[in-house]
């Protein structure tokens, strides 16, 4: 879950068609109340729904699965098979290069590797990866979680080289972070000099600033 995405457990609805109907209502209300489009992606678990979310942005409604368990499994496996391996959460550029070295580019090709071959390439993560390439995921949907970090970032409308402007914005954001620390009942540790707060310059027409860590 993040600021622009969330998971919902709609299994209470009893059927995929009812989930689709609920999803259409959610999309309609978001548009009416916020004037924003939203993509909703339906699957038998969080993994499949997450991967499906890349399919029809920015205003899509993707369904992967069916009420009958056997049919749903077949649909999920067929959906994943032709996709690039990078669609699997956890496979980044470095991991992708390992698989490209053995001529594995798509999920269906990744499935041809034995568990032992996967383990030799990925180590302990191979067991989890094996489940993912078949669309299996038992991770629960959590309604609450422990806060592990508190931070702020700001995207500027225009690029800037003004150090004074950047420093002022950093001060304001860091004050906001410290305020949040205190509201959460956390202890604030001040370091001098402060090496952990740095501007991060993206390769885009914007600058993003300020990362801070919490301590207990």
């Amino acid at each position: 879950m993040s600021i622009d995405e969330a998971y919902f457990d709609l299994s209470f609805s009893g059927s995929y068609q009812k989930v689709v109907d609920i999803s259409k209502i959610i999309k309609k209300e978001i548009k009416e109340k916020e004037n924003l489009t939203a993509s909703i992606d339906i699957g038998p678990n969080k993994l499949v729904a997450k991967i499906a979310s890349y399919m029809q942005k920015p205003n899509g409604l993707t369904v992967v699965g069916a009420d009958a368990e056997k049919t749903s499994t077949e649909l999920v496996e067929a959906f994943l098979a032709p996709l690039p391996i990078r669609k699997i959460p956890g496979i980044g550029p470095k991991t992708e290069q390992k698989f490209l070295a053995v001529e594995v580019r798509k999920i269906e090709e990744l499935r041809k590797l034995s568990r032992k071959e996967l383990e030799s390439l990925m180590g302990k993560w191979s067991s989890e990866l094996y489940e993912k390439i078949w669309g299996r995921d038992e991770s629960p949907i959590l309604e609450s979680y422990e806060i592990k970090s508190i931070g702020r970032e700001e995207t500027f409308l225009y690029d800037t080289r003004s150090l004074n402007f950047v420093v002022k914005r950093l001060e304001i954001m860091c004050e906001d972070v410290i305020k949040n620390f205190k509201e959460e009942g956390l202890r604030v540790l001040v370091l001098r000099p402060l090496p952990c707060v740095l501007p991060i310059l993206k390769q885009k027409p914007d600058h993003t600033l300020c990362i801070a860590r919490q301590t207990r």
Side-chain angles (χ1 to χ4, degrees):
M1 181 174 177
S2 67
I3 194 170
D4 62 349
E5 68 177 33
Y7 293 101
F8 290 89
D9 182 357
L10 298 178
S11 56
F12 66 85
S13 63
S15 73
Y16 271 79
Q17 184 54 56
K18 289 182 180 178
V19 173
V20 170
D21 294 339
I22 293 171
S23 299
K24 289 179 179 178
I25 293 172
I26 294 173
K27 285 168 62 69
K28 183 174 181 291
E29 290 190 4
I30 291 175
K31 181 62 177 177
E32 290 175 350
K33 294 179 180 180
E34 305 295 337
N35 195 30
L36 294 171
T37 59
S39 293
I40 296 182
D41 310 276
I42 303 165
N45 54 52
K46 289 168 61 178
L47 171 70
V48 175
K50 175 65 175 177
I51 296 174
S53 70
Y54 299 109
M55 298 297 107
Q56 297 189 60
K57 288 185 177 183
N59 190 28
L61 179 56
T62 306
V63 181
V64 183
D67 295 335
E69 184 175 349
K70 182 179 178 180
T71 304
S72 184
T73 299
E74 291 172 349
L75 288 171
V76 167
E77 292 178 1
F79 166 72
L80 294 175
L83 299 180
I85 57 175
R86 284 288 297 275
K87 294 296 184 184
I88 297 291
I91 295 184
K94 290 184 178 179
T95 303
E96 181 185 33
Q97 288 304 314
K98 289 184 179 180
F99 287 122
L100 292 179
V102 292
E103 299 184 348
V104 171
R105 293 174 175 80
K106 297 181 179 180
I107 294 175
E108 60 188 348
E109 297 170 338
L110 189 51
R111 289 173 180 169
K112 295 177 182 179
L113 298 181
S114 67
R115 284 181 178 269
K116 187 173 182 179
E117 289 172 320
L118 269 180
E119 185 177 2
S120 67
L121 287 168
M122 302 309 303
K124 293 181 179 180
W125 190 55
S126 62
S127 296
E128 181 182 344
L129 177 59
Y130 185 83
E131 297 299 310
K132 286 184 175 183
I133 62 180
W134 291 100
R136 297 192 283 263
D137 176 29
E138 299 295 329
S139 60
I141 294 176
L142 302 177
E143 295 183 6
S144 61
Y145 58 93
E146 180 183 4
I147 296 175
K148 295 183 178 179
S149 65
I150 296 176
R152 289 292 180 272
E153 68 176 44
E154 180 177 345
T155 300
F156 302 152
L157 184 60
Y158 301 104
D159 286 353
T160 179
R161 294 183 180 275
S162 171
L163 182 59
N164 288 336
F165 175 76
V166 171
V167 170
K168 286 180 181 178
R169 297 311 305 166
L170 275 172
E171 290 176 349
I172 291 171
M173 286 187 285
C174 289
E175 288 173 1
D176 190 29
V177 168
I178 292 173
K179 180 182 177 183
N180 287 154
F181 277 8
K182 294 178 179 179
E183 289 174 350
E184 293 290 336
L186 302 173
R187 179 167 56 89
V188 178
L189 177 65
V190 179
L191 302 177
R192 291 187 175 88
L194 190 61
C196 62
V197 180
L198 298 170
I200 301 171
L201 305 183
K202 296 182 177 180
Q203 294 181 341
K204 295 180 179 180
D206 58 55
H207 298 331
T208 301
L209 301 176
C210 199
I211 298 173
R213 295 179 181 177
Q214 76 173 26
T215 60
R216 291 188 180 275

